[in-house]
């Protein structure tokens, strides 16, 4: 299978090259040239374990990796998960289900993609006899998930910039207490945007980029979207048969990365009824799906920080399908959006989508309510999914993080502190961070000194 850019001006690539490239050279995002259909495979898929299901799905896309190798890469990626079902589906009431996506090493859903991506990178380094230096900026979860994807992998090093003192203490520990020699947690004096801007300059230096085979960590890699399709498929197959085609998937989201995967799976012949885009107070996606207008506004820090975004970086993929797969039209819309900060859609496919918005003032109350009703502790992101829950039809709420990652909010809501063994282990480990000024020259000097060659 080949992968094309949403902006239509980059050559189509095979799976491994598209994964290694990340962002397409024309600035677009990679998508499969055609979407396969799994409609006739669902019966056969029912009996498979999670890794086997993932293999059956991915082998249709990753046609340039030998099948037994792919199977081994996938198996290895999910052995780091602590639950035997990998993505357990828990039933809270007759029609209400929670899909727990936080049993990976960093206790948030990004592990599903980044454990796999780390092993794909390792495979590429091995087969091509190359090394790779991964560089990213994070406000929390993405950086730690990327670090744990590459932890100790030969031929790789990873550098993550984060705003010193502005991530949660546990998130910092997940980045800076790994003890791995190929991991560099770079605490910058400044904000996430400062980190992001410095990073753009470093990537803008093409010679430097080539010399160190720099690769970006971000939320737009093709492998992320495909890896994420699998848990929707798994949940669909595990629902009671009578509820499968009735259930709405409720997805706490900011970048549109998670829900996009579910929607694409629906386009691949899996009869999912629909999705609810559940935002926090940073509600660009809520406004889009309720008014048709996609318009930037300021980001306000919230209790669900991993959804605090200004523009949804994965939205472009959805846009591509909505403008009739027309790369020129995507370029035009993205250009308008870039210059004016807004774009109004005359008509687009809203049939599969609902939207909700949850303010910070509501989050602790929802956590308390859910705990009282179901004895279940939802993290602040997942709590946004419990807003406006419908009782007349089945729902699957995607739980994107373990409550143990956000003890302050949980204590405030229900009075007890959630814990997790892996976080307790972290608290005892030495923290190794490199304080650094967020300017491109300093960052490049650091990379030059510590990069894998
Ligand atoms: C990253 C993240 C999200 C948002 O994911 P999207 O890519 O915006 O869909 C939600 N919850 C948690 C815990 C996260 O780490």
């Amino acid at each position: 299978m080949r992968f094309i850019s949403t902006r239509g001006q980059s050559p189509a690539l095979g799976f491994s090259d598209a994964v290694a490239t990340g962002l397409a050279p024309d600035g677009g995002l990679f998508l499969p040239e055609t979407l396969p259909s799994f409609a006739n495979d669902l019966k056969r898929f029912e009996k498979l374990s999670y890794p086997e299901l993932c293999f059956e799905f991915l082998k249709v896309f990753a046609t340039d990796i030998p099948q037994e190798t792919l199977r081994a890469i996938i198996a290895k990626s999910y052995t780091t998960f602590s639950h035997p079902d990998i993505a357990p589906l828990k039933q809270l009431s007759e029609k209400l289900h929670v899909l727990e996506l936080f049993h990976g090493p960093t206790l948030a859903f990004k592990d599903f993609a980044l454990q796999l991506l780390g092993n794909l990178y390792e495979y590429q380094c091995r087969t091509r006899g190359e090394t790779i230096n991964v560089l990213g900026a994070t406000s929390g979860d993405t950086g730690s998930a990327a670090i744990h994807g590459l932890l100790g992998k030969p031929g790789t090093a990873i550098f993550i910039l984060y705003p010193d003192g502005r991530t949660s203490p546990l998130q910092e520990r997940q980045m800076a207490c790994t003890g791995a020699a190929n991991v560099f947690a770079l605490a910058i004096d400044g904000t996430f945007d400062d980190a992001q801007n410095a990073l753009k300059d470093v990537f803008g230096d093409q010679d430097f980029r080539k010399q160190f085979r720099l690769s970006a960590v971000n939320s737009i890699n093709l492998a992320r979207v495909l890896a994420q399709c699998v848990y929707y498929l798994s949940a669909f197959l595990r629902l009671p048969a009578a509820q499968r085609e009735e259930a709405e998937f409720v997805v706490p989201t900011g970048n549109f990365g998670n829900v996009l995967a579910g929607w694409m799976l629906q386009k691949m012949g899996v009869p999912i009824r629909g999705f609810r885009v559940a935002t926090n107070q940073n509600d660009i996606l809520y406004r889009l799906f309720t008014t048709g207008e996609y318009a930037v506004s300021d980001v306000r820090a919230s209790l669900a920080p991993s959804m605090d975004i200004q523009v949804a970086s994965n939205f472009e993929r959805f846009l591509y399908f909505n403008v009739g797969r027309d790369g020129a039209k995507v370029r035009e819309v993205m250009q308008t959006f870039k210059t004016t900060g807004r774009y109004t859609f005359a008509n687009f496919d809203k049939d599969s989508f609902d939207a909700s918005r949850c303010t910070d003032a509501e989050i602790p109350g929802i956590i308390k309510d859910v705990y009282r009703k179901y004895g279940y502790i939802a993290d602040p992101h997942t709590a946004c999914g419990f807003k406006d829950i419908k009782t007349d039809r089945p729902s699957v709420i995607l739980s994107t993080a373990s409550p143990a990652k956000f003890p302050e909010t949980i204590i405030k809501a229900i009075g007890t502190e959630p814990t997790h063994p892996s976080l307790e282990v972290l608290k005892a480990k030495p923290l190794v961070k490199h304080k650094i000024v967020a300017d491109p020259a300093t960052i490049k000097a650091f990379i030059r000194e510590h990069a894998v060659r």
Side-chain angles (χ1 to χ4, degrees), residues 308-339:
D308 290 347
I309 59 96
Q310 194 171 31
V311 293
S313 55
N314 266 287
F315 179 69
E316 185 168 334
R317 287 189 165 105
F318 181 63
L319 173 69
Y320 174 80
F321 289 102
N322 275 283
V323 297
R325 308 188 185 210
D326 178 349
K329 184 72 191 169
V330 171
R331 294 200 300 278
E332 184 194 312
V333 175
M334 293 312 289
Q335 189 54 44
T336 307
F337 183 67
K338 197 174 160 190
T339 45

PDB file of all heavy atoms in Angstrom, residues 308-339:
ATOM      1  N   ASP A 308      -5.426  20.838  25.959  1.00  0.00           N
ATOM      2  CA  ASP A 308      -5.302  22.293  25.849  1.00  0.00           C
ATOM      3  C   ASP A 308      -4.577  22.659  24.563  1.00  0.00           C
ATOM      4  O   ASP A 308      -3.367  22.866  24.556  1.00  0.00           O
ATOM      5  CB  ASP A 308      -4.530  22.865  27.040  1.00  0.00           C
ATOM      6  CG  ASP A 308      -5.331  22.786  28.322  1.00  0.00           C
ATOM      7  OD1 ASP A 308      -6.545  22.532  28.244  1.00  0.00           O
ATOM      8  OD2 ASP A 308      -4.735  22.986  29.387  1.00  0.00           O
ATOM      9  N   ILE A 309      -5.318  22.766  23.489  1.00  0.00           N
ATOM     10  CA  ILE A 309      -4.674  23.088  22.221  1.00  0.00           C
ATOM     11  C   ILE A 309      -5.429  24.217  21.535  1.00  0.00           C
ATOM     12  O   ILE A 309      -6.589  24.483  21.824  1.00  0.00           O
ATOM     13  CB  ILE A 309      -4.610  21.886  21.263  1.00  0.00           C
ATOM     14  CG1 ILE A 309      -6.021  21.362  20.973  1.00  0.00           C
ATOM     15  CG2 ILE A 309      -3.758  20.771  21.802  1.00  0.00           C
ATOM     16  CD1 ILE A 309      -6.597  21.889  19.734  1.00  0.00           C
ATOM     17  N   GLN A 310      -4.733  24.864  20.623  1.00  0.00           N
ATOM     18  CA  GLN A 310      -5.332  25.978  19.916  1.00  0.00           C
ATOM     19  C   GLN A 310      -5.906  25.520  18.580  1.00  0.00           C
ATOM     20  O   GLN A 310      -7.039  25.808  18.245  1.00  0.00           O
ATOM     21  CB  GLN A 310      -4.260  27.038  19.706  1.00  0.00           C
ATOM     22  CG  GLN A 310      -4.823  28.370  19.291  1.00  0.00           C
ATOM     23  CD  GLN A 310      -3.764  29.446  19.316  1.00  0.00           C
ATOM     24  OE1 GLN A 310      -2.583  29.173  19.088  1.00  0.00           O
ATOM     25  NE2 GLN A 310      -4.160  30.655  19.597  1.00  0.00           N
ATOM     26  N   VAL A 311      -5.089  24.787  17.811  1.00  0.00           N
ATOM     27  CA  VAL A 311      -5.602  24.219  16.568  1.00  0.00           C
ATOM     28  C   VAL A 311      -5.396  22.716  16.607  1.00  0.00           C
ATOM     29  O   VAL A 311      -4.436  22.218  17.184  1.00  0.00           O
ATOM     30  CB  VAL A 311      -4.896  24.798  15.313  1.00  0.00           C
ATOM     31  CG1 VAL A 311      -5.225  26.254  15.146  1.00  0.00           C
ATOM     32  CG2 VAL A 311      -3.409  24.572  15.356  1.00  0.00           C
ATOM     33  N   ALA A 312      -6.300  21.991  15.983  1.00  0.00           N
ATOM     34  CA  ALA A 312      -6.275  20.539  16.041  1.00  0.00           C
ATOM     35  C   ALA A 312      -5.394  20.007  14.909  1.00  0.00           C
ATOM     36  O   ALA A 312      -5.779  20.035  13.746  1.00  0.00           O
ATOM     37  CB  ALA A 312      -7.697  20.001  15.913  1.00  0.00           C
ATOM     38  N   SER A 313      -4.199  19.528  15.267  1.00  0.00           N
ATOM     39  CA  SER A 313      -3.220  19.220  14.227  1.00  0.00           C
ATOM     40  C   SER A 313      -3.644  18.085  13.287  1.00  0.00           C
ATOM     41  O   SER A 313      -3.153  17.991  12.174  1.00  0.00           O
ATOM     42  CB  SER A 313      -1.858  18.922  14.851  1.00  0.00           C
ATOM     43  OG  SER A 313      -1.986  17.894  15.803  1.00  0.00           O
ATOM     44  N   ASN A 314      -4.536  17.223  13.734  1.00  0.00           N
ATOM     45  CA  ASN A 314      -4.954  16.113  12.855  1.00  0.00           C
ATOM     46  C   ASN A 314      -6.194  16.419  12.029  1.00  0.00           C
ATOM     47  O   ASN A 314      -6.653  15.593  11.251  1.00  0.00           O
ATOM     48  CB  ASN A 314      -5.222  14.853  13.678  1.00  0.00           C
ATOM     49  CG  ASN A 314      -3.999  13.978  13.729  1.00  0.00           C
ATOM     50  OD1 ASN A 314      -3.663  13.348  12.728  1.00  0.00           O
ATOM     51  ND2 ASN A 314      -3.309  13.970  14.845  1.00  0.00           N
ATOM     52  N   PHE A 315      -6.710  17.622  12.221  1.00  0.00           N
ATOM     53  CA  PHE A 315      -7.943  17.979  11.536  1.00  0.00           C
ATOM     54  C   PHE A 315      -7.785  17.947  10.015  1.00  0.00           C
ATOM     55  O   PHE A 315      -8.724  17.639   9.271  1.00  0.00           O
ATOM     56  CB  PHE A 315      -8.395  19.359  12.006  1.00  0.00           C
ATOM     57  CG  PHE A 315      -9.649  19.818  11.350  1.00  0.00           C
ATOM     58  CD1 PHE A 315     -10.848  19.194  11.622  1.00  0.00           C
ATOM     59  CD2 PHE A 315      -9.627  20.853  10.429  1.00  0.00           C
ATOM     60  CE1 PHE A 315     -12.007  19.601  11.003  1.00  0.00           C
ATOM     61  CE2 PHE A 315     -10.779  21.265   9.808  1.00  0.00           C
ATOM     62  CZ  PHE A 315     -11.968  20.643  10.090  1.00  0.00           C
ATOM     63  N   GLU A 316      -6.571  18.233   9.564  1.00  0.00           N
ATOM     64  CA  GLU A 316      -6.326  18.282   8.115  1.00  0.00           C
ATOM     65  C   GLU A 316      -6.672  16.966   7.415  1.00  0.00           C
ATOM     66  O   GLU A 316      -7.082  16.950   6.253  1.00  0.00           O
ATOM     67  CB  GLU A 316      -4.866  18.680   7.862  1.00  0.00           C
ATOM     68  CG  GLU A 316      -4.554  18.868   6.393  1.00  0.00           C
ATOM     69  CD  GLU A 316      -3.212  19.537   6.119  1.00  0.00           C
ATOM     70  OE1 GLU A 316      -2.714  20.294   6.988  1.00  0.00           O
ATOM     71  OE2 GLU A 316      -2.656  19.303   5.034  1.00  0.00           O
ATOM     72  N   ARG A 317      -6.508  15.872   8.102  1.00  0.00           N
ATOM     73  CA  ARG A 317      -6.847  14.578   7.480  1.00  0.00           C
ATOM     74  C   ARG A 317      -8.360  14.470   7.248  1.00  0.00           C
ATOM     75  O   ARG A 317      -8.813  14.008   6.216  1.00  0.00           O
ATOM     76  CB  ARG A 317      -6.364  13.412   8.354  1.00  0.00           C
ATOM     77  CG  ARG A 317      -4.858  13.225   8.330  1.00  0.00           C
ATOM     78  CD  ARG A 317      -4.425  11.935   9.018  1.00  0.00           C
ATOM     79  NE  ARG A 317      -3.059  11.571   8.699  1.00  0.00           N
ATOM     80  CZ  ARG A 317      -2.028  11.702   9.533  1.00  0.00           C
ATOM     81  NH1 ARG A 317      -2.198  12.191  10.743  1.00  0.00           N
ATOM     82  NH2 ARG A 317      -0.819  11.341   9.154  1.00  0.00           N
ATOM     83  N   PHE A 318      -9.108  14.907   8.225  1.00  0.00           N
ATOM     84  CA  PHE A 318     -10.572  14.899   8.110  1.00  0.00           C
ATOM     85  C   PHE A 318     -11.004  15.852   6.993  1.00  0.00           C
ATOM     86  O   PHE A 318     -11.864  15.532   6.169  1.00  0.00           O
ATOM     87  CB  PHE A 318     -11.159  15.328   9.460  1.00  0.00           C
ATOM     88  CG  PHE A 318     -12.656  15.346   9.505  1.00  0.00           C
ATOM     89  CD1 PHE A 318     -13.389  14.185   9.331  1.00  0.00           C
ATOM     90  CD2 PHE A 318     -13.333  16.526   9.747  1.00  0.00           C
ATOM     91  CE1 PHE A 318     -14.775  14.200   9.392  1.00  0.00           C
ATOM     92  CE2 PHE A 318     -14.719  16.553   9.806  1.00  0.00           C
ATOM     93  CZ  PHE A 318     -15.435  15.386   9.625  1.00  0.00           C
ATOM     94  N   LEU A 319     -10.349  16.997   6.979  1.00  0.00           N
ATOM     95  CA  LEU A 319     -10.621  18.000   5.946  1.00  0.00           C
ATOM     96  C   LEU A 319     -10.442  17.414   4.543  1.00  0.00           C
ATOM     97  O   LEU A 319     -11.273  17.608   3.655  1.00  0.00           O
ATOM     98  CB  LEU A 319      -9.663  19.189   6.158  1.00  0.00           C
ATOM     99  CG  LEU A 319      -9.664  20.284   5.107  1.00  0.00           C
ATOM    100  CD1 LEU A 319     -10.974  21.042   5.159  1.00  0.00           C
ATOM    101  CD2 LEU A 319      -8.493  21.241   5.345  1.00  0.00           C
ATOM    102  N   TYR A 320      -9.352  16.686   4.371  1.00  0.00           N
ATOM    103  CA  TYR A 320      -9.045  16.081   3.072  1.00  0.00           C
ATOM    104  C   TYR A 320     -10.221  15.254   2.540  1.00  0.00           C
ATOM    105  O   TYR A 320     -10.633  15.388   1.384  1.00  0.00           O
ATOM    106  CB  TYR A 320      -7.789  15.215   3.213  1.00  0.00           C
ATOM    107  CG  TYR A 320      -7.425  14.420   1.985  1.00  0.00           C
ATOM    108  CD1 TYR A 320      -6.755  15.023   0.923  1.00  0.00           C
ATOM    109  CD2 TYR A 320      -7.738  13.072   1.885  1.00  0.00           C
ATOM    110  CE1 TYR A 320      -6.415  14.296  -0.208  1.00  0.00           C
ATOM    111  CE2 TYR A 320      -7.400  12.336   0.762  1.00  0.00           C
ATOM    112  CZ  TYR A 320      -6.746  12.959  -0.281  1.00  0.00           C
ATOM    113  OH  TYR A 320      -6.420  12.236  -1.401  1.00  0.00           O
ATOM    114  N   PHE A 321     -10.769  14.417   3.399  1.00  0.00           N
ATOM    115  CA  PHE A 321     -11.901  13.593   2.965  1.00  0.00           C
ATOM    116  C   PHE A 321     -13.134  14.454   2.693  1.00  0.00           C
ATOM    117  O   PHE A 321     -13.936  14.148   1.830  1.00  0.00           O
ATOM    118  CB  PHE A 321     -12.228  12.537   4.017  1.00  0.00           C
ATOM    119  CG  PHE A 321     -11.191  11.449   4.117  1.00  0.00           C
ATOM    120  CD1 PHE A 321     -10.259  11.441   5.137  1.00  0.00           C
ATOM    121  CD2 PHE A 321     -11.139  10.446   3.154  1.00  0.00           C
ATOM    122  CE1 PHE A 321      -9.293  10.443   5.213  1.00  0.00           C
ATOM    123  CE2 PHE A 321     -10.183   9.436   3.222  1.00  0.00           C
ATOM    124  CZ  PHE A 321      -9.260   9.442   4.258  1.00  0.00           C
ATOM    125  N   ASN A 322     -13.259  15.538   3.445  1.00  0.00           N
ATOM    126  CA  ASN A 322     -14.446  16.371   3.322  1.00  0.00           C
ATOM    127  C   ASN A 322     -14.450  17.309   2.129  1.00  0.00           C
ATOM    128  O   ASN A 322     -15.478  17.884   1.797  1.00  0.00           O
ATOM    129  CB  ASN A 322     -14.669  17.156   4.609  1.00  0.00           C
ATOM    130  CG  ASN A 322     -15.446  16.329   5.608  1.00  0.00           C
ATOM    131  OD1 ASN A 322     -16.651  16.186   5.485  1.00  0.00           O
ATOM    132  ND2 ASN A 322     -14.738  15.737   6.549  1.00  0.00           N
ATOM    133  N   VAL A 323     -13.292  17.490   1.511  1.00  0.00           N
ATOM    134  CA  VAL A 323     -13.271  18.328   0.306  1.00  0.00           C
ATOM    135  C   VAL A 323     -13.068  17.436  -0.915  1.00  0.00           C
ATOM    136  O   VAL A 323     -12.488  17.846  -1.916  1.00  0.00           O
ATOM    137  CB  VAL A 323     -12.193  19.437   0.367  1.00  0.00           C
ATOM    138  CG1 VAL A 323     -12.502  20.404   1.507  1.00  0.00           C
ATOM    139  CG2 VAL A 323     -10.794  18.856   0.519  1.00  0.00           C
ATOM    140  N   GLY A 324     -13.528  16.204  -0.823  1.00  0.00           N
ATOM    141  CA  GLY A 324     -13.471  15.312  -1.973  1.00  0.00           C
ATOM    142  C   GLY A 324     -12.064  14.871  -2.337  1.00  0.00           C
ATOM    143  O   GLY A 324     -11.749  14.691  -3.515  1.00  0.00           O
ATOM    144  N   ARG A 325     -11.204  14.705  -1.342  1.00  0.00           N
ATOM    145  CA  ARG A 325      -9.826  14.232  -1.541  1.00  0.00           C
ATOM    146  C   ARG A 325      -9.082  15.097  -2.560  1.00  0.00           C
ATOM    147  O   ARG A 325      -8.384  14.583  -3.426  1.00  0.00           O
ATOM    148  CB  ARG A 325      -9.808  12.763  -1.982  1.00  0.00           C
ATOM    149  CG  ARG A 325     -10.615  11.873  -1.052  1.00  0.00           C
ATOM    150  CD  ARG A 325     -10.433  10.411  -1.398  1.00  0.00           C
ATOM    151  NE  ARG A 325     -11.311   9.605  -0.562  1.00  0.00           N
ATOM    152  CZ  ARG A 325     -11.035   8.371  -0.176  1.00  0.00           C
ATOM    153  NH1 ARG A 325      -9.923   7.805  -0.535  1.00  0.00           N
ATOM    154  NH2 ARG A 325     -11.876   7.714   0.582  1.00  0.00           N
ATOM    155  N   ASP A 326      -9.250  16.381  -2.412  1.00  0.00           N
ATOM    156  CA  ASP A 326      -8.677  17.316  -3.368  1.00  0.00           C
ATOM    157  C   ASP A 326      -7.545  18.099  -2.675  1.00  0.00           C
ATOM    158  O   ASP A 326      -7.802  18.994  -1.861  1.00  0.00           O
ATOM    159  CB  ASP A 326      -9.806  18.250  -3.830  1.00  0.00           C
ATOM    160  CG  ASP A 326      -9.323  19.315  -4.804  1.00  0.00           C
ATOM    161  OD1 ASP A 326      -8.098  19.482  -4.965  1.00  0.00           O
ATOM    162  OD2 ASP A 326     -10.193  19.991  -5.386  1.00  0.00           O
ATOM    163  N   GLY A 327      -6.299  17.725  -3.007  1.00  0.00           N
ATOM    164  CA  GLY A 327      -5.131  18.336  -2.367  1.00  0.00           C
ATOM    165  C   GLY A 327      -5.080  19.846  -2.553  1.00  0.00           C
ATOM    166  O   GLY A 327      -4.686  20.587  -1.640  1.00  0.00           O
ATOM    167  N   ALA A 328      -5.469  20.325  -3.731  1.00  0.00           N
ATOM    168  CA  ALA A 328      -5.433  21.764  -4.002  1.00  0.00           C
ATOM    169  C   ALA A 328      -6.412  22.502  -3.091  1.00  0.00           C
ATOM    170  O   ALA A 328      -6.119  23.571  -2.552  1.00  0.00           O
ATOM    171  CB  ALA A 328      -5.780  22.026  -5.466  1.00  0.00           C
ATOM    172  N   LYS A 329      -7.568  21.897  -2.893  1.00  0.00           N
ATOM    173  CA  LYS A 329      -8.579  22.501  -2.017  1.00  0.00           C
ATOM    174  C   LYS A 329      -8.080  22.517  -0.561  1.00  0.00           C
ATOM    175  O   LYS A 329      -8.276  23.501   0.161  1.00  0.00           O
ATOM    176  CB  LYS A 329      -9.885  21.703  -2.143  1.00  0.00           C
ATOM    177  CG  LYS A 329     -11.039  22.271  -1.383  1.00  0.00           C
ATOM    178  CD  LYS A 329     -11.582  23.545  -2.013  1.00  0.00           C
ATOM    179  CE  LYS A 329     -12.573  24.220  -1.055  1.00  0.00           C
ATOM    180  NZ  LYS A 329     -12.923  25.571  -1.489  1.00  0.00           N
ATOM    181  N   VAL A 330      -7.408  21.436  -0.148  1.00  0.00           N
ATOM    182  CA  VAL A 330      -6.852  21.398   1.215  1.00  0.00           C
ATOM    183  C   VAL A 330      -5.842  22.535   1.380  1.00  0.00           C
ATOM    184  O   VAL A 330      -5.862  23.266   2.381  1.00  0.00           O
ATOM    185  CB  VAL A 330      -6.173  20.043   1.524  1.00  0.00           C
ATOM    186  CG1 VAL A 330      -5.410  20.100   2.847  1.00  0.00           C
ATOM    187  CG2 VAL A 330      -7.196  18.918   1.564  1.00  0.00           C
ATOM    188  N   ARG A 331      -4.989  22.733   0.385  1.00  0.00           N
ATOM    189  CA  ARG A 331      -3.988  23.810   0.469  1.00  0.00           C
ATOM    190  C   ARG A 331      -4.673  25.161   0.613  1.00  0.00           C
ATOM    191  O   ARG A 331      -4.264  25.993   1.403  1.00  0.00           O
ATOM    192  CB  ARG A 331      -3.092  23.818  -0.789  1.00  0.00           C
ATOM    193  CG  ARG A 331      -2.218  22.590  -0.923  1.00  0.00           C
ATOM    194  CD  ARG A 331      -1.033  22.834  -1.845  1.00  0.00           C
ATOM    195  NE  ARG A 331      -1.395  23.200  -3.216  1.00  0.00           N
ATOM    196  CZ  ARG A 331      -1.726  22.329  -4.167  1.00  0.00           C
ATOM    197  NH1 ARG A 331      -1.756  21.033  -3.905  1.00  0.00           N
ATOM    198  NH2 ARG A 331      -2.012  22.735  -5.386  1.00  0.00           N
ATOM    199  N   GLU A 332      -5.731  25.339  -0.156  1.00  0.00           N
ATOM    200  CA  GLU A 332      -6.449  26.610  -0.118  1.00  0.00           C
ATOM    201  C   GLU A 332      -7.071  26.855   1.268  1.00  0.00           C
ATOM    202  O   GLU A 332      -6.922  27.931   1.855  1.00  0.00           O
ATOM    203  CB  GLU A 332      -7.536  26.567  -1.195  1.00  0.00           C
ATOM    204  CG  GLU A 332      -8.324  27.835  -1.370  1.00  0.00           C
ATOM    205  CD  GLU A 332      -9.587  27.560  -2.204  1.00  0.00           C
ATOM    206  OE1 GLU A 332      -9.467  26.900  -3.263  1.00  0.00           O
ATOM    207  OE2 GLU A 332     -10.668  27.980  -1.773  1.00  0.00           O
ATOM    208  N   VAL A 333      -7.733  25.824   1.800  1.00  0.00           N
ATOM    209  CA  VAL A 333      -8.362  25.979   3.116  1.00  0.00           C
ATOM    210  C   VAL A 333      -7.304  26.248   4.184  1.00  0.00           C
ATOM    211  O   VAL A 333      -7.452  27.148   5.026  1.00  0.00           O
ATOM    212  CB  VAL A 333      -9.190  24.726   3.495  1.00  0.00           C
ATOM    213  CG1 VAL A 333      -9.730  24.853   4.916  1.00  0.00           C
ATOM    214  CG2 VAL A 333     -10.324  24.512   2.511  1.00  0.00           C
ATOM    215  N   MET A 334      -6.215  25.474   4.155  1.00  0.00           N
ATOM    216  CA  MET A 334      -5.179  25.635   5.177  1.00  0.00           C
ATOM    217  C   MET A 334      -4.527  27.017   5.081  1.00  0.00           C
ATOM    218  O   MET A 334      -4.172  27.614   6.094  1.00  0.00           O
ATOM    219  CB  MET A 334      -4.119  24.526   5.068  1.00  0.00           C
ATOM    220  CG  MET A 334      -4.622  23.125   5.411  1.00  0.00           C
ATOM    221  SD  MET A 334      -5.574  22.970   6.950  1.00  0.00           S
ATOM    222  CE  MET A 334      -4.300  23.208   8.184  1.00  0.00           C
ATOM    223  N   GLN A 335      -4.395  27.518   3.873  1.00  0.00           N
ATOM    224  CA  GLN A 335      -3.812  28.847   3.684  1.00  0.00           C
ATOM    225  C   GLN A 335      -4.747  29.925   4.250  1.00  0.00           C
ATOM    226  O   GLN A 335      -4.315  30.818   4.977  1.00  0.00           O
ATOM    227  CB  GLN A 335      -3.530  29.094   2.190  1.00  0.00           C
ATOM    228  CG  GLN A 335      -2.729  30.368   1.910  1.00  0.00           C
ATOM    229  CD  GLN A 335      -1.414  30.415   2.716  1.00  0.00           C
ATOM    230  OE1 GLN A 335      -0.701  29.415   2.812  1.00  0.00           O
ATOM    231  NE2 GLN A 335      -1.107  31.561   3.310  1.00  0.00           N
ATOM    232  N   THR A 336      -6.018  29.813   3.942  1.00  0.00           N
ATOM    233  CA  THR A 336      -7.003  30.762   4.485  1.00  0.00           C
ATOM    234  C   THR A 336      -6.977  30.717   6.008  1.00  0.00           C
ATOM    235  O   THR A 336      -6.967  31.742   6.692  1.00  0.00           O
ATOM    236  CB  THR A 336      -8.432  30.388   4.019  1.00  0.00           C
ATOM    237  OG1 THR A 336      -8.427  30.277   2.615  1.00  0.00           O
ATOM    238  CG2 THR A 336      -9.451  31.416   4.462  1.00  0.00           C
ATOM    239  N   PHE A 337      -6.931  29.493   6.515  1.00  0.00           N
ATOM    240  CA  PHE A 337      -6.947  29.324   7.963  1.00  0.00           C
ATOM    241  C   PHE A 337      -5.698  29.930   8.605  1.00  0.00           C
ATOM    242  O   PHE A 337      -5.763  30.587   9.639  1.00  0.00           O
ATOM    243  CB  PHE A 337      -7.055  27.836   8.302  1.00  0.00           C
ATOM    244  CG  PHE A 337      -7.150  27.580   9.762  1.00  0.00           C
ATOM    245  CD1 PHE A 337      -8.276  27.985  10.475  1.00  0.00           C
ATOM    246  CD2 PHE A 337      -6.114  26.973  10.439  1.00  0.00           C
ATOM    247  CE1 PHE A 337      -8.359  27.780  11.843  1.00  0.00           C
ATOM    248  CE2 PHE A 337      -6.190  26.761  11.802  1.00  0.00           C
ATOM    249  CZ  PHE A 337      -7.315  27.166  12.498  1.00  0.00           C
ATOM    250  N   LYS A 338      -4.583  29.751   7.930  1.00  0.00           N
ATOM    251  CA  LYS A 338      -3.321  30.266   8.462  1.00  0.00           C
ATOM    252  C   LYS A 338      -3.313  31.800   8.487  1.00  0.00           C
ATOM    253  O   LYS A 338      -2.827  32.405   9.443  1.00  0.00           O
ATOM    254  CB  LYS A 338      -2.168  29.757   7.587  1.00  0.00           C
ATOM    255  CG  LYS A 338      -0.810  29.860   8.227  1.00  0.00           C
ATOM    256  CD  LYS A 338       0.246  29.203   7.350  1.00  0.00           C
ATOM    257  CE  LYS A 338       1.620  29.703   7.716  1.00  0.00           C
ATOM    258  NZ  LYS A 338       2.619  29.249   6.728  1.00  0.00           N
ATOM    259  N   THR A 339      -3.856  32.407   7.463  1.00  0.00           N
ATOM    260  CA  THR A 339      -3.796  33.872   7.397  1.00  0.00           C
ATOM    261  C   THR A 339      -4.909  34.548   8.197  1.00  0.00           C
ATOM    262  O   THR A 339      -4.702  35.603   8.773  1.00  0.00           O
ATOM    263  CB  THR A 339      -3.831  34.380   5.934  1.00  0.00           C
ATOM    264  OG1 THR A 339      -4.847  33.683   5.220  1.00  0.00           O
ATOM    265  CG2 THR A 339      -2.510  34.146   5.232  1.00  0.00           C
TER     266      THR A 339
END
